[in-house]
PDB file of all heavy atoms in Angstrom:
ATOM      1  N   ILE A 115       2.276   9.448  -8.911  1.00 98.00           N
ATOM      2  CA  ILE A 115       2.132  10.813  -9.420  1.00 98.00           C
ATOM      3  C   ILE A 115       1.893  11.800  -8.286  1.00 98.00           C
ATOM      4  O   ILE A 115       2.536  12.852  -8.212  1.00 98.00           O
ATOM      5  CB  ILE A 115       0.978  10.902 -10.442  1.00 98.00           C
ATOM      6  CG1 ILE A 115       1.316  10.122 -11.708  1.00 98.00           C
ATOM      7  CG2 ILE A 115       0.681  12.374 -10.803  1.00 98.00           C
ATOM      8  CD1 ILE A 115       0.182  10.048 -12.713  1.00 98.00           C
ATOM      9  N   PHE A 116       0.969  11.471  -7.383  1.00 98.00           N
ATOM     10  CA  PHE A 116       0.544  12.441  -6.386  1.00 98.00           C
ATOM     11  C   PHE A 116       1.181  12.273  -5.005  1.00 98.00           C
ATOM     12  O   PHE A 116       1.364  13.258  -4.295  1.00 98.00           O
ATOM     13  CB  PHE A 116      -0.987  12.402  -6.257  1.00 98.00           C
ATOM     14  CG  PHE A 116      -1.706  12.667  -7.543  1.00 98.00           C
ATOM     15  CD1 PHE A 116      -2.475  11.677  -8.146  1.00 98.00           C
ATOM     16  CD2 PHE A 116      -1.595  13.899  -8.181  1.00 98.00           C
ATOM     17  CE1 PHE A 116      -3.135  11.915  -9.351  1.00 98.00           C
ATOM     18  CE2 PHE A 116      -2.246  14.145  -9.383  1.00 98.00           C
ATOM     19  CZ  PHE A 116      -3.011  13.153  -9.981  1.00 98.00           C
ATOM     20  N   ALA A 117       1.521  11.039  -4.608  1.00 98.00           N
ATOM     21  CA  ALA A 117       1.983  10.823  -3.228  1.00 98.00           C
ATOM     22  C   ALA A 117       3.491  10.735  -3.079  1.00 98.00           C
ATOM     23  O   ALA A 117       4.003  10.857  -1.965  1.00 98.00           O
ATOM     24  CB  ALA A 117       1.344   9.568  -2.655  1.00 98.00           C
ATOM     25  N   ASN A 118       4.207  10.493  -4.155  1.00 98.00           N
ATOM     26  CA  ASN A 118       5.662  10.484  -3.999  1.00 98.00           C
ATOM     27  C   ASN A 118       6.168  11.905  -3.813  1.00 98.00           C
ATOM     28  O   ASN A 118       5.596  12.841  -4.387  1.00 98.00           O
ATOM     29  CB  ASN A 118       6.328   9.818  -5.217  1.00 98.00           C
ATOM     30  CG  ASN A 118       6.714   8.387  -4.917  1.00 98.00           C
ATOM     31  OD1 ASN A 118       6.744   7.965  -3.772  1.00 98.00           O
ATOM     32  ND2 ASN A 118       7.020   7.632  -5.950  1.00 98.00           N
ATOM     33  N   PRO A 119       7.200  12.110  -2.967  1.00 98.00           N
ATOM     34  CA  PRO A 119       8.173  11.122  -2.488  1.00 98.00           C
ATOM     35  C   PRO A 119       7.818  10.417  -1.172  1.00 98.00           C
ATOM     36  O   PRO A 119       8.659   9.700  -0.638  1.00 98.00           O
ATOM     37  CB  PRO A 119       9.429  11.961  -2.298  1.00 98.00           C
ATOM     38  CG  PRO A 119       8.885  13.283  -1.840  1.00 98.00           C
ATOM     39  CD  PRO A 119       7.624  13.489  -2.646  1.00 98.00           C
ATOM     40  N   MET A 120       6.614  10.591  -0.653  1.00 98.00           N
ATOM     41  CA  MET A 120       6.321  10.013   0.662  1.00 98.00           C
ATOM     42  C   MET A 120       6.398   8.493   0.642  1.00 98.00           C
ATOM     43  O   MET A 120       6.898   7.868   1.588  1.00 98.00           O
ATOM     44  CB  MET A 120       4.952  10.472   1.158  1.00 98.00           C
ATOM     45  CG  MET A 120       4.699  10.127   2.617  1.00 98.00           C
ATOM     46  SD  MET A 120       3.168  10.843   3.307  1.00 98.00           S
ATOM     47  CE  MET A 120       3.654  12.571   3.433  1.00 98.00           C
ATOM     48  N   ILE A 121       5.935   7.870  -0.445  1.00 98.00           N
ATOM     49  CA  ILE A 121       5.974   6.414  -0.513  1.00 98.00           C
ATOM     50  C   ILE A 121       7.409   5.915  -0.668  1.00 98.00           C
ATOM     51  O   ILE A 121       7.835   4.985   0.023  1.00 98.00           O
ATOM     52  CB  ILE A 121       5.093   5.901  -1.674  1.00 98.00           C
ATOM     53  CG1 ILE A 121       3.633   6.260  -1.410  1.00 98.00           C
ATOM     54  CG2 ILE A 121       5.254   4.389  -1.842  1.00 98.00           C
ATOM     55  CD1 ILE A 121       2.703   5.936  -2.563  1.00 98.00           C
ATOM     56  N   SER A 122       8.162   6.536  -1.566  1.00 98.00           N
ATOM     57  CA  SER A 122       9.544   6.101  -1.761  1.00 98.00           C
ATOM     58  C   SER A 122      10.381   6.345  -0.507  1.00 98.00           C
ATOM     59  O   SER A 122      11.273   5.559  -0.182  1.00 98.00           O
ATOM     60  CB  SER A 122      10.167   6.821  -2.968  1.00 98.00           C
ATOM     61  OG  SER A 122      10.145   8.222  -2.806  1.00 98.00           O
ATOM     62  N   ASP A 123      10.079   7.404   0.229  1.00 97.00           N
ATOM     63  CA  ASP A 123      10.786   7.666   1.490  1.00 97.00           C
ATOM     64  C   ASP A 123      10.482   6.578   2.518  1.00 97.00           C
ATOM     65  O   ASP A 123      11.361   6.158   3.276  1.00 97.00           O
ATOM     66  CB  ASP A 123      10.391   9.029   2.054  1.00 97.00           C
ATOM     67  CG  ASP A 123      11.060  10.190   1.327  1.00 97.00           C
ATOM     68  OD1 ASP A 123      11.994   9.935   0.535  1.00 97.00           O
ATOM     69  OD2 ASP A 123      10.647  11.347   1.545  1.00 97.00           O
ATOM     70  N   ALA A 124       9.232   6.132   2.562  1.00 97.00           N
ATOM     71  CA  ALA A 124       8.870   5.069   3.500  1.00 97.00           C
ATOM     72  C   ALA A 124       9.616   3.782   3.177  1.00 97.00           C
ATOM     73  O   ALA A 124      10.132   3.100   4.070  1.00 97.00           O
ATOM     74  CB  ALA A 124       7.359   4.829   3.464  1.00 97.00           C
ATOM     75  N   LEU A 125       9.710   3.443   1.898  1.00 97.00           N
ATOM     76  CA  LEU A 125      10.444   2.246   1.500  1.00 97.00           C
ATOM     77  C   LEU A 125      11.929   2.381   1.809  1.00 97.00           C
ATOM     78  O   LEU A 125      12.568   1.441   2.280  1.00 97.00           O
ATOM     79  CB  LEU A 125      10.233   1.984   0.007  1.00 97.00           C
ATOM     80  CG  LEU A 125       8.832   1.492  -0.366  1.00 97.00           C
ATOM     81  CD1 LEU A 125       8.656   1.504  -1.877  1.00 97.00           C
ATOM     82  CD2 LEU A 125       8.577   0.102   0.189  1.00 97.00           C
ATOM     83  N   ALA A 126      12.483   3.562   1.560  1.00 96.00           N
ATOM     84  CA  ALA A 126      13.900   3.791   1.863  1.00 96.00           C
ATOM     85  C   ALA A 126      14.168   3.695   3.357  1.00 96.00           C
ATOM     86  O   ALA A 126      15.257   3.286   3.774  1.00 96.00           O
ATOM     87  CB  ALA A 126      14.331   5.166   1.336  1.00 96.00           C
ATOM     88  N   GLY A 127      13.161   4.028   4.165  1.00 95.00           N
ATOM     89  CA  GLY A 127      13.308   3.968   5.611  1.00 95.00           C
ATOM     90  C   GLY A 127      13.029   2.595   6.196  1.00 95.00           C
ATOM     91  O   GLY A 127      13.052   2.434   7.417  1.00 95.00           O
ATOM     92  N   GLY A 128      12.735   1.611   5.334  1.00 95.00           N
ATOM     93  CA  GLY A 128      12.532   0.247   5.801  1.00 95.00           C
ATOM     94  C   GLY A 128      11.122  -0.071   6.260  1.00 95.00           C
ATOM     95  O   GLY A 128      10.881  -1.135   6.832  1.00 95.00           O
ATOM     96  N   GLU A 129      10.175   0.836   6.030  1.00 97.00           N
ATOM     97  CA  GLU A 129       8.811   0.578   6.455  1.00 97.00           C
ATOM     98  C   GLU A 129       8.116  -0.402   5.508  1.00 97.00           C
ATOM     99  O   GLU A 129       8.577  -0.657   4.396  1.00 97.00           O
ATOM    100  CB  GLU A 129       8.020   1.889   6.498  1.00 97.00           C
ATOM    101  CG  GLU A 129       8.552   2.899   7.497  1.00 97.00           C
ATOM    102  CD  GLU A 129       7.764   4.200   7.478  1.00 97.00           C
ATOM    103  OE1 GLU A 129       6.553   4.151   7.172  1.00 97.00           O
ATOM    104  OE2 GLU A 129       8.362   5.260   7.740  1.00 97.00           O
ATOM    105  N   CYS A 130       6.980  -0.917   5.954  1.00 98.00           N
ATOM    106  CA  CYS A 130       6.135  -1.746   5.097  1.00 98.00           C
ATOM    107  C   CYS A 130       5.164  -0.841   4.351  1.00 98.00           C
ATOM    108  O   CYS A 130       4.617   0.097   4.933  1.00 98.00           O
ATOM    109  CB  CYS A 130       5.354  -2.759   5.922  1.00 98.00           C
ATOM    110  SG  CYS A 130       6.392  -4.044   6.668  1.00 98.00           S
ATOM    111  N   VAL A 131       4.949  -1.137   3.092  1.00 98.00           N
ATOM    112  CA  VAL A 131       4.001  -0.371   2.270  1.00 98.00           C
ATOM    113  C   VAL A 131       3.012  -1.344   1.651  1.00 98.00           C
ATOM    114  O   VAL A 131       3.405  -2.296   0.974  1.00 98.00           O
ATOM    115  CB  VAL A 131       4.720   0.434   1.174  1.00 98.00           C
ATOM    116  CG1 VAL A 131       3.704   1.101   0.245  1.00 98.00           C
ATOM    117  CG2 VAL A 131       5.633   1.492   1.795  1.00 98.00           C
ATOM    118  N   ARG A 132       1.726  -1.106   1.902  1.00 98.00           N
ATOM    119  CA  ARG A 132       0.635  -1.904   1.335  1.00 98.00           C
ATOM    120  C   ARG A 132      -0.209  -0.969   0.478  1.00 98.00           C
ATOM    121  O   ARG A 132      -0.822  -0.040   1.006  1.00 98.00           O
ATOM    122  CB  ARG A 132      -0.232  -2.525   2.423  1.00 98.00           C
ATOM    123  CG  ARG A 132       0.524  -3.155   3.592  1.00 98.00           C
ATOM    124  CD  ARG A 132       1.422  -4.297   3.166  1.00 98.00           C
ATOM    125  NE  ARG A 132       2.083  -4.939   4.299  1.00 98.00           N
ATOM    126  CZ  ARG A 132       3.094  -5.774   4.177  1.00 98.00           C
ATOM    127  NH1 ARG A 132       3.583  -6.062   2.970  1.00 98.00           N
ATOM    128  NH2 ARG A 132       3.641  -6.346   5.236  1.00 98.00           N
ATOM    129  N   THR A 133      -0.238  -1.192  -0.828  1.00 98.00           N
ATOM    130  CA  THR A 133      -0.939  -0.306  -1.742  1.00 98.00           C
ATOM    131  C   THR A 133      -2.154  -1.000  -2.347  1.00 98.00           C
ATOM    132  O   THR A 133      -2.073  -2.156  -2.756  1.00 98.00           O
ATOM    133  CB  THR A 133       0.007   0.171  -2.858  1.00 98.00           C
ATOM    134  OG1 THR A 133       1.009   1.017  -2.275  1.00 98.00           O
ATOM    135  CG2 THR A 133      -0.733   0.948  -3.922  1.00 98.00           C
ATOM    136  N   VAL A 134      -3.272  -0.270  -2.399  1.00 98.00           N
ATOM    137  CA  VAL A 134      -4.523  -0.804  -2.932  1.00 98.00           C
ATOM    138  C   VAL A 134      -4.981   0.073  -4.095  1.00 98.00           C
ATOM    139  O   VAL A 134      -5.036   1.302  -3.969  1.00 98.00           O
ATOM    140  CB  VAL A 134      -5.624  -0.813  -1.851  1.00 98.00           C
ATOM    141  CG1 VAL A 134      -6.928  -1.372  -2.413  1.00 98.00           C
ATOM    142  CG2 VAL A 134      -5.181  -1.606  -0.627  1.00 98.00           C
ATOM    143  N   PHE A 135      -5.325  -0.557  -5.226  1.00 99.00           N
ATOM    144  CA  PHE A 135      -5.916   0.149  -6.358  1.00 99.00           C
ATOM    145  C   PHE A 135      -7.358  -0.309  -6.494  1.00 99.00           C
ATOM    146  O   PHE A 135      -7.621  -1.489  -6.739  1.00 99.00           O
ATOM    147  CB  PHE A 135      -5.129  -0.117  -7.638  1.00 99.00           C
ATOM    148  CG  PHE A 135      -3.730   0.429  -7.606  1.00 99.00           C
ATOM    149  CD1 PHE A 135      -2.638  -0.422  -7.497  1.00 99.00           C
ATOM    150  CD2 PHE A 135      -3.497   1.791  -7.652  1.00 99.00           C
ATOM    151  CE1 PHE A 135      -1.347   0.071  -7.452  1.00 99.00           C
ATOM    152  CE2 PHE A 135      -2.208   2.301  -7.593  1.00 99.00           C
ATOM    153  CZ  PHE A 135      -1.128   1.442  -7.500  1.00 99.00           C
ATOM    154  N   VAL A 136      -8.284   0.612  -6.352  1.00 98.00           N
ATOM    155  CA  VAL A 136      -9.703   0.271  -6.315  1.00 98.00           C
ATOM    156  C   VAL A 136     -10.252  -0.039  -7.701  1.00 98.00           C
ATOM    157  O   VAL A 136     -10.972  -1.012  -7.899  1.00 98.00           O
ATOM    158  CB  VAL A 136     -10.522   1.388  -5.638  1.00 98.00           C
ATOM    159  CG1 VAL A 136     -12.013   1.068  -5.656  1.00 98.00           C
ATOM    160  CG2 VAL A 136     -10.044   1.582  -4.191  1.00 98.00           C
ATOM    161  N   THR A 137      -9.936   0.793  -8.694  1.00 98.00           N
ATOM    162  CA  THR A 137     -10.382   0.487 -10.049  1.00 98.00           C
ATOM    163  C   THR A 137      -9.231  -0.115 -10.845  1.00 98.00           C
ATOM    164  O   THR A 137      -8.065  -0.022 -10.461  1.00 98.00           O
ATOM    165  CB  THR A 137     -10.907   1.720 -10.812  1.00 98.00           C
ATOM    166  OG1 THR A 137      -9.819   2.438 -11.415  1.00 98.00           O
ATOM    167  CG2 THR A 137     -11.698   2.641  -9.903  1.00 98.00           C
ATOM    168  N   ALA A 138      -9.604  -0.707 -11.980  1.00 98.00           N
ATOM    169  CA  ALA A 138      -8.599  -1.319 -12.847  1.00 98.00           C
ATOM    170  C   ALA A 138      -7.860  -0.294 -13.678  1.00 98.00           C
ATOM    171  O   ALA A 138      -6.829  -0.611 -14.285  1.00 98.00           O
ATOM    172  CB  ALA A 138      -9.274  -2.342 -13.763  1.00 98.00           C
ATOM    173  N   GLY A 139      -8.372   0.945 -13.730  1.00 98.00           N
ATOM    174  CA  GLY A 139      -7.751   1.945 -14.600  1.00 98.00           C
ATOM    175  C   GLY A 139      -7.798   1.515 -16.053  1.00 98.00           C
ATOM    176  O   GLY A 139      -6.902   1.841 -16.833  1.00 98.00           O
ATOM    177  N   ASP A 140      -8.872   0.809 -16.420  1.00 98.00           N
ATOM    178  CA  ASP A 140      -8.934   0.171 -17.734  1.00 98.00           C
ATOM    179  C   ASP A 140      -9.214   1.113 -18.889  1.00 98.00           C
ATOM    180  O   ASP A 140      -8.937   0.780 -20.049  1.00 98.00           O
ATOM    181  CB  ASP A 140     -10.012  -0.914 -17.722  1.00 98.00           C
ATOM    182  CG  ASP A 140     -11.366  -0.362 -17.262  1.00 98.00           C
ATOM    183  OD1 ASP A 140     -11.538  -0.173 -16.029  1.00 98.00           O
ATOM    184  OD2 ASP A 140     -12.231  -0.115 -18.120  1.00 98.00           O
ATOM    185  N   ALA A 141      -9.806   2.290 -18.603  1.00 98.00           N
ATOM    186  CA  ALA A 141     -10.123   3.260 -19.662  1.00 98.00           C
ATOM    187  C   ALA A 141     -10.950   2.636 -20.786  1.00 98.00           C
ATOM    188  O   ALA A 141     -10.899   3.078 -21.927  1.00 98.00           O
ATOM    189  CB  ALA A 141      -8.849   3.874 -20.229  1.00 98.00           C
TER     190      ALA A 141
END
Side-chain angles (χ1 to χ4, degrees):
I115 293 175
F116 302 115
N118 260 345
M120 191 173 287
I121 296 174
S122 59
D123 283 348
L125 289 170
E129 297 178 30
C130 291
V131 174
R132 316 299 183 193
T133 293
V134 180
F135 295 108
V136 177
T137 84
D140 54 282

